Amino acid sequence: MTTRVEDPEVGDDPGFSAIQTQGPERYSFSQLAAPQHLDLHLYNNEQILSWEPPPPSNDTRPVVYQVEFKYVDGSWNKFTEVNCTDITVTKCDLTRGGRLRGFSGIYSVSLRVRAKQGERTSDWVTSTEFQRYCNVTVGPPKTISVIPGKGSLIIHFSPPFDVTSEATFEYRVRYWEKTGAQQVRGPFKENSVVLSNLKPFRVYCLQTEAQLTVQNNNCRPGLSLSNVSCHETTADASTRLQVTLITVGTFSLLTGACFFLFLRYQSRVKYWFQAPPTIPEQIQEYLKDPDQPILDALDKDHCSKDDAWDSVSIVSSPEKEQDVLQTL
């Protein structure tokens, strides 16, 4: 969670909804102006304090910053694991991007920062006390994996970050059929859950969230949902058998219907699928050029020079012989 206060005089409410700054409102001409607008970013393991630099002055020397912390009723201390002393940047990463442990979750902590320019220093600007577990924004579970089952989805995940024994995570899963209403499963403390009684061969979308619960404390940290992911369920053996029988039966019915129609309309089918008549190539050429001697071309194509010819002469016929005999 990132909290920010624009004005040091934000009121007397000591709640954790904002990190208030408690600093001086007046400074002399020789005194350096203090940093402004402290902002504490708490997300999972990340703990980052940032601020805005003081108004510029005529002094051209670089401005550096010093950050200190203290627990309740304790004294102010400098950081040892991270370098937040005499730094030129306007932020102090207390965990180096979540790689270090940072402050424990149940202890109240205060932070303060001041500017320094040569021998001039500003007054300290102090944040309101905060508790990590109460102020943190909890991210979604990590390494989420979904395994489609027989009318179910099996979900595995890991916690957003490690916590001490004073706090535990509770998880919820929001899921819905791609065109249906949203449902919620949870809360539960296990790192896996089975969404059962789902329809087979349907696509379900889901989101997961982790809620941090602190013992003996009613604070409720912020939380965020995971990205939406969608998965298709499978079916059990009986459902698969039903689907197979329906598929085979439908295919057989369609095949039989097609064969029956073919036998009944066989002549029409042959007529529809027979090749259309074609015009001989010589006729096509003649239609393109009517002056072409088509008959000669046909004779040439059908009569080769090498063909053998026999000459036949009619010497007599029975009809002529009868006429001659009658005449005699």
Side-chain angles (χ1 to χ4, degrees), residues 74-108:
S75 58
W76 292 101
N77 300 279
K78 294 182 178 180
F79 290 93
T80 57
E81 294 186 351
V82 294
N83 180 21
C84 289
T85 302
D86 296 336
I87 57 177
T88 57
V89 295
T90 56
K91 71 174 182 179
C92 175
D93 189 345
L94 309 178
T95 58
R96 294 182 183 175
R99 294 187 296 273
L100 299 180
R101 179 179 178 183
F103 292 111
S104 180
I106 61 174
Y107 297 105
S108 297

Side-chain angles (χ1 to χ4, degrees), residues 37-327:
H37 307 150
L38 269 65
D39 186 272
L40 183 60
H41 170 76
L42 299 175
Y43 180 81
N44 287 354
N45 286 329
E46 300 175 3
Q47 302 175 23
I48 303 174
L49 177 68
S50 60
W51 57 89
E52 294 182 7
S57 64
N58 294 329
D59 196 335
T60 58
R61 290 177 297 178
V63 177
V64 296
Y65 303 94
Q66 299 172 339
V67 182
E68 295 181 352
F69 73 95
K70 77 167 185 175
Y71 294 100
V72 177
D73 299 329
S75 58
W76 292 101
N77 300 279
K78 294 182 178 180
F79 290 93
T80 57
E81 294 186 351
V82 294
N83 180 21
C84 289
T85 302
D86 296 336
I87 57 177
T88 57
V89 295
T90 56
K91 71 174 182 179
C92 175
D93 189 345
L94 309 178
T95 58
R96 294 182 183 175
R99 294 187 296 273
L100 299 180
R101 179 179 178 183
F103 292 111
S104 180
I106 61 174
Y107 297 105
S108 297
V109 183
S110 295
L111 300 172
R112 69 178 185 177
V113 60
R114 72 175 179 180
K116 181 180 179 182
Q117 189 177 38
E119 65 280 357
R120 295 197 304 161
T121 58
S122 72
D123 287 324
W124 291 99
V125 181
T126 306
S127 70
T128 301
E129 294 177 356
F130 69 93
Q131 290 182 355
R132 178 193 173 197
Y133 284 167
C134 288
N135 291 88
V136 67
T137 296
V138 179
K142 295 182 179 179
T143 59
I144 301 173
S145 63
V146 180
I147 302 174
K150 300 175 181 179
S152 64
L153 294 175
I154 306 171
I155 308 171
H156 299 279
F157 44 80
S158 58
F161 57 92
D162 296 331
V163 296
T164 58
S165 59
E166 293 84 4
T168 56
F169 281 111
E170 292 182 345
Y171 304 98
R172 289 178 175 83
V173 178
R174 305 173 187 268
Y175 65 99
W176 60 95
E177 196 175 345
K178 206 160 189 181
T179 57
Q182 186 180 100
Q183 303 181 60
V184 179
R185 182 71 58 86
F188 50 89
K189 296 184 178 181
E190 297 77 14
N191 290 353
S192 63
V193 63
V194 179
L195 302 179
S196 56
N197 298 324
L198 303 181
K199 298 177 182 178
F201 300 118
R202 298 294 180 89
V203 176
Y204 286 85
C205 299
L206 57 89
Q207 286 181 294
T208 59
E209 66 179 35
Q211 176 71 56
L212 183 63
T213 303
V214 185
Q215 296 179 6
N216 303 323
N217 200 320
N218 294 325
C219 65
R220 286 292 177 181
L223 54 87
S224 55
L225 293 168
S226 65
N227 295 330
V228 176
S229 62
C230 299
H231 310 271
E232 184 177 3
T233 58
T234 59
D236 54 21
S238 60
T239 304
R240 285 198 299 269
L241 179 60
Q242 293 177 5
V243 173
T244 303
L245 293 176
I246 293 173
T247 303
V248 173
T250 303
F251 178 77
S252 301
L253 180 62
L254 292 176
T255 303
C258 293
F259 183 72
F260 172 77
L261 292 175
F262 175 78
L263 293 179
R264 183 172 182 179
Y265 300 101
Q266 183 176 5
S267 59
R268 293 187 180 182
V269 172
K270 289 182 178 180
Y271 175 77
W272 290 337
F273 288 97
Q274 68 180 358
T278 58
I279 302 175
E281 183 179 354
Q282 295 82 357
I283 302 300
Q284 293 180 5
E285 293 179 357
Y286 173 74
L287 293 176
K288 294 179 181 179
D289 185 9
D291 296 333
Q292 181 179 355
I294 183 63
L295 296 178
D296 295 342
L298 291 175
D299 290 340
K300 291 179 180 180
D301 291 340
H302 292 282
C303 301
S304 175
K305 295 180 179 180
D306 297 333
D307 290 343
W309 294 85
D310 293 331
S311 297
V312 178
S313 300
I314 299 177
V315 177
S316 64
S317 63
E319 294 81 359
K320 290 183 177 181
E321 291 181 356
Q322 288 180 359
D323 294 340
V324 171
L325 292 174
Q326 291 176 0
T327 303

Side-chain angles (χ1 to χ4, degrees), residues 10-18 20 22 128:
V10 179
D12 299 327
D13 183 7
F16 298 110
S17 61
Q20 300 177 348
Q22 302 171 352
T128 301

